[in-house]
Amino acid sequence: MVQSPIFTAQESEPVADRISLLPDHIANQIAAGEVIQRPASAVKELLENAVDAGATEIKLFVNDAGKTLLQVVDNGAGMSETDARMAFERHATSKIKNIDDLFHIRTMGFRGEALASIAAVAQVELRTRRAEDEVGTCIEIENSLVKKQSPVASPAGTSICMKNLFFNVPARRNFLKSNTAELRHVVDEFIRVALAFPGIFFSLTSNGQQVFYLEAGNLKQRILQILGSNYNAKLVSVKEDTDYLNIYGFVGKPETAKKTRGDQYFFVNNRFIRSAYLNHAVMSAYQAMIGADAFPAYVLFIDLDPTQVDVNVHPTKQEIKFEDEKIIYAFVQAAVKHALAQFSITPTLDFELDASIQSLESVQKPFTQDKQAATKSGSIFQTFTEAAQAHRIESNRQWTIGNGQNESSGFVSLTKQLLQLDEAMSKQPAIEAAQLTTHDLSLTFSGFSQLFNTYVLASADDKFLLVHQQTAHERIIYEKLSSAIEGKAIATQRSLFPATVELTPADAVLLSSLLPDLQQLGYTVEPFGKTAFVVQGTPADVDAGNEKAALEKMLEQYKHFNLEAKLPKREMLLRTLAWQQAVKPGASLTEKEMETLMTDLFNCKQPSASPSGRPTYVEFRKEQLEKMFGR
């Protein structure tokens, strides 16, 4: 018989009770882990509290990306002395009173956890005053304990200051990323709240420098303030009102589609949400207008009865459940399709007959009975009028080659392989370099030719290689850049006319973090104001006059790679520049260029794969070809 663990081996009496309640400050720290994961989590909670307080002006200040200081100042309703103290108690809220209120939520916050969680992991100072009160209240809290409470002179509204996040949880603080990475998360949360409430003034100041200054206005004005004025003529209005829900907002024209999801925003009852399901609804509305790997910009709002949606799924409230997901999907898809069609964005068919067709001999001549009989007896007519046979091609048709001989099945097989190789290589999953087979690289090539302006065919003694020109060039450039970033910097060509690049605040933060590494790789880029940069020089292989486009494209591809794989910043940058500078499919190469490409490729440390692991070439041996031809 197995003895209960609460009894010792020697004694039959039970030991002392082992279960006890955790102290409040420890329980609060544990609970805070769900709500406050990084400075950006506190930004979201505090901004939403300011909105719920009825503020018309909200200012956010951060130092060191919010690690040392994060402050939100609003001109909202303020709090009484008692409410100010109660606000930091766990599960204390003014948003709901009974269980029914949970199913009719219109406010941003309601769980009563945000301030208690912040106070558990930071040093907090709250100053607040209602308009009808002569003096306000100041409360200082540290590690969930009130250190001071006193009356104070303050403007109407609330100022809450969070200092030294995770000062009492060093392990959590060590998991925070760099200031640049954390600031990007802060900016993301700020943008989501600012987009949801365009009628409120918002500002963001980081380390004394103003990043955003967003005047109150309408939704389109707010979108242009955040995403950039270049969207001004590229937004399509969406508005559909039904008995079940209302959908409104803006979607970008197809030309705004990018390879990253950065400019996609869904709001349900003014609450930002993440939903791959609804994103698919938007993507399906753009079908045939953009590529499968492109993402259009959109800012869409769904208003519906709160009883039809459950926002109490996760403490962040960004994951929600709908009563009927399928009907929401259908409404979103239809609304976006209708908007694009209304503005003549969707493709249209031209049913007017070209006048030149009327003059063709086949149209002018009468279709006699003899010709009708001859046509009906032909194989093409019979094949296409036979049920379910419109796609069939006769298998006994004899194809001929130059000397008049019938083409063998082996040649057909080889041709099919070559034609399908582009698709196969593009879909080849990334593989580790260690898994690749090492071939004999001491090859002497006797000739070069190009297929489809995409592949280089290089023949050797008993084999030939089919090389994908872009992936091969990516490997060459990647190893060149890797050497440069670890040793001697790449030479920079100074721009005769320096280009000025205006970026969104989020992209400006990203570029600032990349400047030191870009300098080593041949780019000379200098800040010029809040979100503008001047490109003073670029690597020698970037065409003069194309500096601005090259930099913007580099940032876009960097964000695309960052979504696909979580790699170190420097590695991501090297792969991005290698992709950007590599020769693309469709580019015609001279024989000398093909020879240089092959020589440089096989001088690389790892010639078999691109930086992302895609194969650079496929090898065909003589015996393989002979087997195909039945020899």
Side-chain angles (χ1 to χ4, degrees), residues 335-399:
V336 175
K337 271 188 175 181
H338 184 217
L340 294 174
Q342 197 172 20
F343 285 83
S344 303
I345 305 293
T346 52
T348 57
L349 296 176
D350 185 3
F351 292 99
E352 293 185 6
L353 187 63
D354 190 336
S356 62
I357 295 177
Q358 300 287 356
S359 62
L360 293 177
E361 183 180 5
S362 57
V363 176
Q364 293 291 332
K365 285 188 176 182
F367 194 35
T368 64
Q369 290 185 348
D370 291 342
K371 289 183 177 180
Q372 290 180 36
T375 300
K376 290 180 180 180
S377 63
S379 61
I380 296 178
F381 180 88
Q382 292 176 1
T383 299
F384 274 82
T385 54
E386 216 173 307
Q389 294 294 311
H391 62 283
R392 187 171 65 84
I393 298 176
E394 294 181 41
S395 60
N396 62 351
R397 180 179 291 272
Q398 298 295 309
W399 299 87

Side-chain angles (χ1 to χ4, degrees), residues 167-467:
F167 78 100
N168 53 350
V169 195
R172 292 285 301 278
R173 189 173 181 88
N174 291 336
F175 277 104
L176 294 177
K177 305 298 183 183
S178 66
N179 283 358
T180 302
E182 293 297 340
L183 183 58
R184 286 176 60 194
H185 287 289
V186 168
V187 168
D188 286 344
E189 294 294 352
F190 176 88
I191 286 174
R192 291 163 186 166
V193 179
L195 277 175
F197 300 96
I200 299 176
F201 166 87
F202 285 89
S203 70
L204 167 58
T205 303
S206 172
N207 294 332
Q209 182 178 2
Q210 195 166 73
V211 180
F212 284 97
Y213 187 89
L214 307 177
E215 294 280 6
N218 58 40
L219 178 58
K220 185 173 183 180
Q221 290 170 337
R222 180 57 52 87
I223 293 173
L224 296 180
Q225 288 172 336
I226 291 174
L227 301 187
S229 57
N230 58 312
Y231 275 93
N232 190 26
K234 300 177 182 177
L235 293 177
V236 176
S237 176
V238 177
K239 185 168 178 58
E240 295 288 344
D241 294 339
T242 71
D243 293 337
Y244 186 76
L245 57 76
N246 297 331
I247 300 175
Y248 66 95
F250 292 89
V251 296
K253 294 181 179 179
E255 62 263 30
T256 67
K258 300 178 181 179
K259 287 193 172 183
T260 55
R261 299 177 184 270
D263 296 338
Q264 287 79 38
Y265 299 91
F266 258 118
F267 299 89
V268 174
N269 293 343
N270 280 70
R271 187 188 307 280
F272 172 80
I273 66 161
R274 301 178 187 274
S275 174
Y277 188 64
L278 294 186
N279 177 71
H280 186 273
V282 176
M283 293 295 293
S284 63
Y286 279 86
Q287 196 170 12
M289 287 184 279
I290 60 175
D293 61 343
F295 302 94
Y298 60 79
V299 180
L300 293 174
F301 290 76
I302 300 173
D303 283 350
L304 77 165
D305 188 334
T307 60
Q308 299 297 315
V309 59
D310 180 7
V311 299
N312 193 29
V313 176
H314 189 273
T316 63
K317 302 181 286 290
Q318 292 183 356
E319 299 174 21
I320 66 175
K321 288 184 179 179
F322 294 101
E323 184 77 16
D324 190 337
E325 255 190 344
K326 292 182 179 179
I327 195 171
I328 304 293
Y329 182 102
F331 274 126
V332 170
Q333 183 188 50
V336 175
K337 271 188 175 181
H338 184 217
L340 294 174
Q342 197 172 20
F343 285 83
S344 303
I345 305 293
T346 52
T348 57
L349 296 176
D350 185 3
F351 292 99
E352 293 185 6
L353 187 63
D354 190 336
S356 62
I357 295 177
Q358 300 287 356
S359 62
L360 293 177
E361 183 180 5
S362 57
V363 176
Q364 293 291 332
K365 285 188 176 182
F367 194 35
T368 64
Q369 290 185 348
D370 291 342
K371 289 183 177 180
Q372 290 180 36
T375 300
K376 290 180 180 180
S377 63
S379 61
I380 296 178
F381 180 88
Q382 292 176 1
T383 299
F384 274 82
T385 54
E386 216 173 307
Q389 294 294 311
H391 62 283
R392 187 171 65 84
I393 298 176
E394 294 181 41
S395 60
N396 62 351
R397 180 179 291 272
Q398 298 295 309
W399 299 87
T400 59
I401 50 181
N403 59 6
Q405 295 177 336
N406 289 340
E407 184 181 32
S408 70
S409 60
F411 186 79
V412 173
S413 176
L414 176 61
T415 304
K416 286 181 179 178
Q417 286 189 39
L418 295 179
L419 289 172
Q420 294 171 356
L421 194 58
D422 183 38
E423 182 181 2
M425 292 184 78
S426 66
K427 293 182 179 179
Q428 178 74 24
I431 52 179
E432 297 296 330
Q435 295 176 311
L436 295 168
T437 303
T438 304
H439 297 276
D440 177 16
L441 304 182
S442 57
L443 299 175
T444 302
F445 298 108
S446 57
F448 305 95
S449 59
Q450 195 178 20
L451 295 176
F452 315 126
N453 283 348
T454 300
Y455 303 98
V456 173
L457 192 65
S459 58
D461 296 335
D462 62 344
K463 69 184 74 173
F464 72 85
L465 302 184
L466 198 60
V467 182

Side-chain angles (χ1 to χ4, degrees), residues 464-489:
F464 72 85
L465 302 184
L466 198 60
V467 182
H468 194 288
Q469 62 192 37
Q470 178 178 345
T471 53
H473 201 199
E474 283 183 31
R475 164 54 61 182
I476 295 166
I477 296 171
Y478 174 82
E479 294 202 3
K480 173 186 171 185
L481 295 175
S482 296
S483 300
I485 209 163
E486 294 172 1
K488 184 179 179 182

Side-chain angles (χ1 to χ4, degrees), residues 392-623:
R392 187 171 65 84
I393 298 176
E394 294 181 41
S395 60
N396 62 351
R397 180 179 291 272
Q398 298 295 309
W399 299 87
T400 59
I401 50 181
N403 59 6
Q405 295 177 336
N406 289 340
E407 184 181 32
S408 70
S409 60
F411 186 79
V412 173
S413 176
L414 176 61
T415 304
K416 286 181 179 178
Q417 286 189 39
L418 295 179
L419 289 172
Q420 294 171 356
L421 194 58
D422 183 38
E423 182 181 2
M425 292 184 78
S426 66
K427 293 182 179 179
Q428 178 74 24
I431 52 179
E432 297 296 330
Q435 295 176 311
L436 295 168
T437 303
T438 304
H439 297 276
D440 177 16
L441 304 182
S442 57
L443 299 175
T444 302
F445 298 108
S446 57
F448 305 95
S449 59
Q450 195 178 20
L451 295 176
F452 315 126
N453 283 348
T454 300
Y455 303 98
V456 173
L457 192 65
S459 58
D461 296 335
D462 62 344
K463 69 184 74 173
F464 72 85
L465 302 184
L466 198 60
V467 182
H468 194 288
Q469 62 192 37
Q470 178 178 345
T471 53
H473 201 199
E474 283 183 31
R475 164 54 61 182
I476 295 166
I477 296 171
Y478 174 82
E479 294 202 3
K480 173 186 171 185
L481 295 175
S482 296
S483 300
I485 209 163
E486 294 172 1
K488 184 179 179 182
I490 291 178
T492 301
Q493 60 175 2
R494 302 291 295 184
S495 302
L496 186 60
F497 300 102
T500 301
V501 183
E502 184 71 39
L503 302 174
T504 64
D507 282 350
V509 171
L510 172 60
L511 181 57
S512 296
S513 70
L514 299 175
L515 289 182
D517 288 330
L518 285 172
Q519 181 77 34
Q520 193 75 5
L521 297 172
Y523 285 87
T524 302
V525 183
E526 300 172 355
F528 185 67
K530 295 178 184 176
T531 58
F533 296 82
V534 177
V535 185
Q536 300 283 8
T538 57
D541 49 5
V542 174
D543 295 335
N546 198 36
E547 299 89 351
K548 179 180 178 181
L551 192 64
E552 290 174 339
K553 196 172 185 180
M554 183 273 293
L555 284 175
E556 196 59 37
Q557 190 63 25
Y558 180 92
K559 290 186 287 185
H560 175 59
F561 281 151
N562 195 36
L563 289 173
E564 288 189 335
K566 300 300 182 184
L567 296 173
K569 179 183 69 175
R570 182 171 287 184
E571 174 68 15
M572 204 75 65
L573 180 61
L574 293 179
R575 293 189 184 189
T576 298
L577 292 175
W579 175 89
Q580 180 188 21
Q581 297 174 19
V583 61
K584 300 297 186 292
S588 178
L589 303 180
T590 66
E591 186 168 350
K592 181 63 177 174
E593 289 171 333
M594 287 186 275
E595 182 180 0
T596 302
L597 181 73
M598 296 299 296
T599 302
D600 292 346
L601 176 63
F602 287 105
N603 281 330
C604 289
K605 297 176 183 177
Q606 178 50 268
S608 304
S610 71
S612 58
R614 297 186 184 278
T616 56
Y617 64 87
V618 176
E619 180 182 287
F620 292 85
R621 291 185 174 272
K622 182 180 178 181
E623 54 266 27

Side-chain angles (χ1 to χ4, degrees), residues 93-132:
T93 179
S94 62
K95 315 298 172 58
I96 59 176
K97 300 296 183 184
N98 54 58
I99 191 64
D100 290 336
D101 292 342
L102 197 59
F103 303 101
H104 299 83
I105 295 171
R106 285 288 185 184
T107 55
M108 294 297 99
F110 59 88
R111 297 170 64 99
E113 292 183 320
L115 291 181
S117 296
I118 291 172
V121 293
Q123 298 163 332
V124 179
E125 179 186 272
L126 170 72
R127 290 171 177 260
T128 184
R129 181 176 73 84
R130 298 180 299 183
E132 62 269 26

